[in-house]
Amino acid sequence: MAYYIAALDRENAAVGRGITEDKRTKIAGFWRSSIKRWLQIANDDQLWDTVRQRIRELNEPNLRVEFSSQLRQNLLVALCKVHAELGIAYLENAQAAYAQSQLSLMKQISGDTGSDRIAAGIVLKPAAIRLRQQVKMAEEKAFSNPASAADTATELLRLARAATSQFDLLFSNDDPTRTDLFDEIADATNRIQLAYHKATSDDQTCLDILQSALPYAHTQEIRQRIEGNLKTLRSNLTFAQLAPAYTILQSIQDSKDSPLEKLGLFRRKAAPMLTFVTTGMAATDSARNDLFDAAAVLLRGISVEAWNSSNNLVTAEAAIELGLQLAHGTETRDRLLADQKHLAGIRAEQAAFAAVRKQAEEKAKRKQLVAWLIGAGVVILLIIAGNSGTTTNRATSPASNYTSGNGTYRVPSYASAELDRDRQAIESAKVSVTLIQSQVESLGNQIERDRAVIDNSSQLAIDTFNRSVETYNALLANARIQNAKLNQMIDAYNAKLQRYGR
């Protein structure tokens, strides 16, 4: 007992102040001696038989024989409790190393009896009760004022962090006493942020709260619930993050500028925005790749318009090349590669035609030279003949000849211009429909992915999924309207083409 009291007095004196290594070594010796003796007492069967016999002899109504067994069992718990309280005191004074030394002493005393865990539960029971009360009050406060529930959740997590070191010291990570309590905190925090999100739609704040709450969740069901909400919130933030880029792509599509000007606008505005809004996103992120595919589809439209409206092969090829740098989807890349191959064929045809035309021009020049030489020779002969006194009758020919044949009427210039305008409008509408269909397909794929993992117990996840479906339906309806308009334009164009005989 003397060793025990000496060690305990010195430990209490060290809390908040610390001691030298020599004194710490001396205290450790006191503990070893006292623990050795306490364990001898706890394991001395003869001693406890004597205690039971003495209780029988006293024959006191309030003192039962079973008390000796209870006393023996609780002796180790009581000793462990002293060290648990010392460990908590050291933690509160930022003396983590001293706290760990108390944990080691508890294990020496407890052995495999579990006394250390029982003592830890006794010491931390008040803290656990307080935390559960704070959880209850936090939920009541959040549901009565959802708009300020973020502050409530943050405060609850702060209280949890303050208690974490104590529970981590005395309990293992998978101990039910610890996991049950922190599961309650994590689950309550999740419910509180749901109330806040429903009131404010503040995705980022809710994301921050749930990321802080997730480490406290131990049960798989609660972790999956929080992770599902985290996924939904990240999806919302990603959609908002990418919206400026989609806006610029749509503005370029709707622009009345020439294809060359649209391509320049894409390089100046859209390309930097694509890089900016996707900074930090993984190369495999489906939302990022859907955006890049939409940009590639727009560039393909610019390429088609450049060739069809003005046979501008340079702009058409440049747009396709840039689109291939952005495209990720297999279908989009295959379409662009086919376009690139087609444009390469056109360039080859142009080169072959240019070579033939050059040969023809050179041949015409040679014929012109020969004709000039022949004409010069005739003139010389006439001069010689004139000098010899011989006259020659001039051969006369009609000023012009008209040969009638089966020709093709050319379309009047005003009609040709009208048809060209209609064709350009059709190509522009095709690109617009393709871009909208790309957005519909991308959102549809996202909805199918979300449908497979949606948490039906999370109102936030359900509301977000329903909003995505509403957006998809609106886009799909718009795509059908635009496609119908495109078909009307094509029918009108074909009718004009037949009327003008083109």
Side-chain angles (χ1 to χ4, degrees), residues 177-198:
T177 303
R178 178 187 183 280
T179 58
D180 290 351
L181 175 62
F182 287 114
D183 270 345
E184 290 181 29
I185 293 172
D187 203 21
T189 304
N190 183 44
R191 290 192 294 271
I192 291 172
Q193 70 82 28
L194 283 172
Y196 174 74
H197 189 274
K198 189 172 183 180

Side-chain angles (χ1 to χ4, degrees), residues 29-283:
F30 290 157
W31 283 129
R32 281 195 301 272
S33 298
S34 64
I35 290 174
K36 179 181 178 181
R37 287 162 173 78
W38 281 119
L39 290 178
Q40 287 175 347
I41 293 173
N43 296 323
D44 190 341
D45 293 336
Q46 186 176 357
L47 170 64
W48 294 105
D49 286 342
T50 303
V51 172
R52 280 195 296 273
Q53 182 60 35
R54 181 58 179 162
I55 292 174
R56 291 191 185 97
E57 291 174 355
L58 291 174
N59 195 26
E60 291 287 342
N62 295 328
L63 187 61
R64 296 178 176 274
V65 175
E66 294 81 3
F67 175 73
S68 63
S69 299
Q70 295 173 359
L71 181 61
R72 185 178 186 179
Q73 292 172 359
N74 292 332
L75 175 61
L76 298 182
V77 174
L79 293 171
C80 288
K81 180 174 177 292
V82 171
H83 292 290
E85 290 172 342
L86 278 172
I88 297 300
Y90 277 129
L91 276 182
E92 292 174 347
N93 286 274
Q95 295 171 292
Y98 291 169
Q100 286 295 328
S101 68
Q102 300 304 312
L103 186 64
S104 177
L105 293 171
M106 288 176 66
K107 292 185 180 300
Q108 291 179 38
I109 295 170
S110 177
D112 57 0
T113 64
S115 301
D116 54 343
R117 183 180 175 277
I118 297 173
I122 294 172
V123 171
L124 290 180
K125 184 176 181 180
I129 292 174
R130 285 196 301 271
L131 277 174
R132 286 189 167 92
Q133 289 174 341
Q134 287 158 347
V135 166
K136 182 179 180 181
M137 289 188 295
E139 288 196 275
E140 291 174 352
K141 183 177 179 181
F143 296 144
S144 63
N145 187 9
S148 64
D151 294 334
T152 305
T154 302
E155 175 61 17
L156 179 59
L157 290 173
R158 186 192 67 79
L159 294 171
R161 282 193 298 273
T164 299
S165 59
Q166 299 177 3
F167 283 87
D168 287 347
L169 175 69
L170 299 180
F171 290 107
S172 62
N173 289 337
D174 58 350
D175 191 286
T177 303
R178 178 187 183 280
T179 58
D180 290 351
L181 175 62
F182 287 114
D183 270 345
E184 290 181 29
I185 293 172
D187 203 21
T189 304
N190 183 44
R191 290 192 294 271
I192 291 172
Q193 70 82 28
L194 283 172
Y196 174 74
H197 189 274
K198 189 172 183 180
T200 65
S201 299
D202 186 351
D203 294 316
Q204 185 60 59
T205 299
C206 290
L207 181 67
D208 294 339
I209 290 172
L210 287 186
Q211 285 177 333
S212 298
L214 184 59
Y216 294 105
H218 178 80
T219 303
Q220 184 178 4
E221 179 184 356
I222 297 176
R223 288 192 65 85
Q224 288 178 345
R225 192 178 302 153
I226 294 176
E227 287 169 350
N229 286 337
L230 283 170
K231 182 179 180 180
T232 300
L233 292 168
R234 291 191 185 103
S235 178
N236 292 348
L237 289 170
T238 298
F239 183 80
Q241 177 183 341
L242 301 183
Y246 277 111
T247 299
I248 289 180
L249 294 180
Q250 190 64 52
S251 68
I252 294 174
Q253 170 59 37
D254 296 339
S255 171
K256 302 300 181 182
D257 294 335
S258 68
L260 178 60
E261 291 170 330
K262 286 183 177 181
L263 182 59
L265 191 60
F266 184 94
R267 285 172 169 158
R268 292 192 307 274
K269 291 188 175 182
M273 181 59 74
L274 289 175
T275 301
F276 175 75
V277 300
T278 58
T279 298
M281 298 180 70

Side-chain angles (χ1 to χ4, degrees), residues 305-319:
E305 184 182 359
W307 174 250
N308 288 345
S309 64
S310 57
N311 293 342
N312 187 341
L313 186 58
V314 174
T315 298
E317 289 179 322

Side-chain angles (χ1 to χ4, degrees), residues 274-295:
L274 289 175
T275 301
F276 175 75
V277 300
T278 58
T279 298
M281 298 180 70
T284 55
D285 193 301
S286 60
R288 171 186 179 275
N289 295 341
D290 287 345
L291 172 62
F292 281 6
D293 278 344

